[in-house]
Amino acid sequence: MKRTGILIVFSFMYVLSHSQHFKPTFSSLQQYECPEWIQKAKFGINCHWNAQSASKSSNNGWYARQMYEEGSPAYIDHLKNWGHPSEVGYKDVVMAWEAPEFNAERLVSLFKDAGAKFVVTMAVHHDNFDFWNSKHQPKWNSLNYGPKKDVCKEMREAALKAGLKWGVTTHLERAYSWVQSNKGADKTGDKVGISYDGNMKEYQDLYVEYPNFRNLGPVFYHYRSPLASPDSWKKHWKARLFDLIDNYHPDFFYFDGALPYTDDGGKVGMEVLAHYYNDNAKMHKGKNEGFMGLKDIKYHGVFFPGVTSTVLERSYTDKIETVPKLSEESIGPWFHFENAKYYSSRRIISTLADVVSKNCIFMLNIPPKGDGSIDEKAMILLKEIGNWMKVNGDAIYETKPWKTFGEDNIRYTTKDNVLNVIICSDLKNNILLSSLKGWKKDDILSINLLGYNERINFNDSNLGILLNLPQDIKKGSPAYVFQINCKKLNEQPYTVVNQESVKKMNEEAAKMFGATGNKGGFIPLP
């Protein structure tokens, strides 16, 4: 008994001596490291979903703001579907919203079957509506409207039950300036000068107080980050996020931007970071294992490198990163609307392969319908992605980058002495791997095509390794994975060839969906 007691004491002292404690300072927060679990997971799914999804508008990415911008597509849709915003506002959209099809276990099951290793809930968007039993937003939350459930609680429980990690995205930091279009009035027409319903004081808990517009700066900043906001709002923002952290303990957390707020140099944002890291460390024997992400985007707050992971919104890196970043993408618009165009499963899986080949992590948005269900086109995509991952996931999960990330439409990942060759196109002719120039046939033990029983024949040449394709390969797969099992992979030579820039892909996404998720974006970009 004495020996056992001594061991317990020593174990306790060891944990204490090795426990992390974060302070809200730049130097202390740099203790942060991207957690191992997400570096192994590689792939997660999140959902943009709230009353905007039920707005009856195809211009719903930022509907809660743009429905108050006279002449905008969302404003025109609102007039047609709801009425004038001086009489029927966003509060009425929220109160009319019903989501009877929301089912956390069903969603998590769909996402797990699609191959996701973590699931992320949008806890609050710019519209100031919370998806949890919110102490500081007690009326405008998901227990009272829409699903009429504690969405964060149910999604967390379902994810953990399924053996997945769970987390949240938060977009609240911009709400103070973002919603303020609701304080305006039409400048033309029959309703000229009649105040929008955002001026109604009895709804300020949703619409936010009337601000000092001079402090917010020009409209350009309202979308991004106010030049200055009152201390009362900063304290409120901090209290809301503390409440979310303390009661739901997410494995994944992010702000939709950099550290708020610019007028305090990111101070209150660092306080939230420190609180999140310390809370997570308490849950994991003194070591923070929570993923935290910020976006290094101009005018979106204060960005301090190294205090969090970096999130790339609809964009991708051109190189193998020493420190992993997270690229977030959507199958189409951020929020669901009828007849929206979605990417193909090939495009999504090609993007996943590109991200993972560069030592990064991929998060895909699947936007539910207003009622909480997933539409048929998205269901088909999830099934296609899941079927591919079941056969080829070994080339994604727990992999590491090779010495070069790829060539043309080919991407490389590694696991031990296996080089995964992910080909993101149809297979028509024998394949030359120019990056493997200098490899000898004796260096290779075997080559297999995942999902195909026989070994692949190959030859070495002065130009690289040539894969000889069998005749009976199934056509139409989103991508194909050849696994090259070789001797001492790390000692093999490589050649950098034909590495296409991701610039074209980034520009295509911006043109197709814009910053808001709607075609063209409808906001001025810096």
Side-chain angles (χ1 to χ4, degrees):
M1 290 295 292
K2 289 184 178 180
R3 181 177 177 81
T4 301
I6 291 171
L7 287 173
I8 291 172
V9 171
F10 273 112
S11 297
F12 179 70
M13 292 177 65
Y14 178 85
V15 169
L16 283 179
S17 64
H18 288 76
S19 293
Q20 289 182 306
H21 181 72
F22 293 84
K23 298 178 181 179
T25 63
F26 175 62
S27 59
S28 179
L29 293 171
Q30 283 191 309
Q31 296 178 77
Y32 172 84
E33 295 179 342
C34 182
E36 185 177 6
W37 69 262
I38 200 168
Q39 295 188 54
K40 290 181 175 180
K42 302 297 183 186
F43 176 47
I45 291 178
N46 72 318
C47 294
H48 276 66
W49 179 58
N50 62 14
Q52 294 176 119
S53 309
S55 64
K56 307 175 188 177
S57 173
S58 61
N59 301 281
N60 63 357
W62 280 4
Y63 186 88
R65 175 180 172 84
Q66 292 176 340
M67 59 161 282
Y68 294 103
E69 295 180 338
E70 185 180 6
S72 75
Y75 172 92
I76 294 169
D77 286 345
H78 191 78
L79 286 181
K80 179 177 66 176
N81 296 320
W82 297 88
H84 193 269
S86 64
E87 300 165 351
V88 183
Y90 186 61
K91 69 181 188 308
D92 301 286
V93 177
V94 174
M95 289 189 287
W97 175 36
E98 295 182 349
E101 298 302 316
F102 169 75
N103 184 301
E105 289 195 356
R106 183 167 60 214
L107 286 176
V108 168
S109 178
L110 284 172
F111 300 159
K112 183 177 181 178
D113 287 347
K117 296 295 186 182
F118 60 97
V119 174
V120 176
T121 303
M122 190 182 72
V124 53
H125 197 242
H126 311 312
D127 67 339
N128 202 27
F129 182 93
D130 288 349
F131 273 84
W132 74 93
N133 188 11
S134 180
K135 178 179 177 182
H136 302 283
Q137 186 63 307
K139 179 179 179 181
W140 302 102
N141 66 58
S142 63
L143 280 79
N144 299 317
Y145 301 107
K148 297 184 179 177
K149 295 179 179 179
D150 188 333
V151 171
C152 284
K153 179 176 183 288
E154 295 197 10
M155 289 296 290
R156 179 181 187 271
E157 290 176 350
L160 298 183
K161 182 180 178 181
L164 305 180
K165 296 286 188 178
W166 173 82
V168 293
T169 63
T170 68
H171 309 245
L172 182 64
E173 67 281 349
R174 282 188 268 164
Y176 189 83
S177 57
W178 190 89
V179 302
Q180 297 297 355
S181 59
N182 64 40
K183 305 300 190 297
D186 282 1
K187 297 179 181 179
T188 61
D190 295 340
K191 302 287 186 180
V192 63
I194 299 176
S195 297
Y196 299 148
D197 73 329
N199 290 281
M200 300 171 71
K201 291 185 178 180
E202 60 266 39
Y203 294 107
Q204 281 191 0
D205 47 354
L206 177 65
Y207 288 144
V208 182
E209 67 191 16
Y210 197 96
N212 182 329
F213 277 98
R214 182 177 297 178
N215 288 342
L216 297 185
V219 171
F220 175 90
Y221 294 96
H222 297 193
Y223 291 98
R224 296 166 174 84
S225 180
L227 291 181
S229 51
D231 288 343
S232 58
W233 173 259
K234 294 185 183 74
K235 290 176 181 177
H236 177 74
W237 173 80
K238 173 182 169 180
R240 292 258 286 273
L241 296 197
F242 270 38
D243 179 44
L244 180 59
I245 292 165
D246 292 344
N247 290 293
Y248 299 85
H249 310 291
D251 301 301
F252 179 109
F253 206 85
Y254 99 177
F255 303 155
D256 185 23
L259 281 174
Y261 292 86
T262 53
D263 55 322
D264 78 347
K267 178 179 177 294
V268 69
M270 288 192 283
E271 291 172 359
V272 174
L273 292 191
H275 187 74
Y276 173 61
Y277 295 155
N278 289 329
D279 178 79
N280 193 278
K282 289 178 183 177
M283 305 286 290
H284 297 98
K285 298 181 180 179
K287 179 175 174 57
N288 172 57
E289 294 183 11
F291 174 92
M292 179 68 208
L294 294 179
K295 300 177 182 180
D296 184 11
I297 305 175
K298 284 184 179 180
Y299 312 112
H300 282 66
V302 182
F303 185 81
F304 290 132
V307 302
T308 69
S309 294
T310 299
V311 174
L312 305 175
E313 181 176 331
R314 283 202 196 271
S315 58
Y316 308 92
T317 180
D318 255 332
K319 64 181 181 179
I320 296 173
E321 298 287 348
T322 304
V323 178
K325 296 181 179 180
L326 182 140
S327 282
E328 64 169 349
E329 184 57 271
S330 179
I331 60 172
W334 288 119
F335 288 88
H336 177 273
F337 61 84
E338 294 297 325
N339 302 316
K341 291 184 178 180
Y342 293 164
Y343 286 132
S344 67
S345 56
R346 170 165 288 176
R347 165 64 186 253
I348 293 166
I349 288 169
S350 299
T351 304
L352 169 64
D354 178 74
V355 168
V356 173
S357 73
K358 296 169 182 174
N359 195 36
C360 293
I361 301 144
F362 185 59
M363 184 169 71
L364 181 67
N365 174 50
I366 305 291
K369 296 167 65 174
D371 66 7
S373 65
I374 303 296
D375 71 30
E376 184 177 353
K377 290 191 300 180
M379 291 285 281
I380 292 170
L381 272 179
L382 287 169
K383 186 174 182 179
E384 290 175 350
I385 295 167
N387 288 341
W388 189 88
M389 293 292 277
K390 286 177 177 68
V391 174
N392 301 286
D394 193 50
I396 301 295
Y397 305 125
E398 300 190 24
T399 58
K400 295 181 179 179
W402 193 46
K403 300 173 183 179
T404 180
F405 64 78
E407 54 184 283
D408 294 326
N409 56 9
I410 297 170
R411 293 293 179 265
Y412 298 116
T413 65
T414 70
K415 189 177 291 184
D416 299 323
N417 280 315
V418 172
L419 179 68
N420 298 300
V421 182
I422 308 173
I423 300 177
C424 305
S425 65
D426 290 328
L427 299 181
K428 298 178 180 179
N429 304 308
N430 292 340
I431 298 166
L432 178 66
L433 303 176
S434 302
S435 299
L436 310 192
K437 182 179 179 180
W439 282 39
K440 303 300 180 186
K441 198 165 186 178
D442 289 344
D443 296 328
I444 297 174
L445 301 175
S446 64
I447 301 181
N448 298 294
L449 172 61
L450 293 183
Y452 182 80
N453 292 328
E454 298 179 18
R455 290 190 175 184
I456 301 299
N457 295 321
F458 63 95
N459 296 293
D460 57 358
S461 74
N462 292 333
L463 298 177
I465 296 296
L466 184 67
L467 304 180
N468 301 316
L469 300 184
Q471 296 297 316
D472 57 345
I473 290 179
K474 293 180 180 180
K475 305 295 184 181
S477 175
Y480 299 85
V481 176
F482 292 85
Q483 290 194 319
I484 302 178
N485 189 4
C486 69
K487 302 173 184 176
K488 299 180 180 179
L489 177 59
N490 288 333
E491 296 180 11
Q492 300 303 324
Y494 73 101
T495 302
V496 176
V497 292
N498 302 330
Q499 293 190 331
E500 291 187 2
S501 170
V502 298
K503 182 180 179 182
K504 182 179 179 182
M505 187 163 62
N506 294 344
E507 289 176 346
E508 181 186 35
K511 183 178 180 181
M512 185 171 181
F513 296 113
T516 68
N518 300 323
K519 186 176 181 179
F522 202 68
I523 65 166
L525 297 174

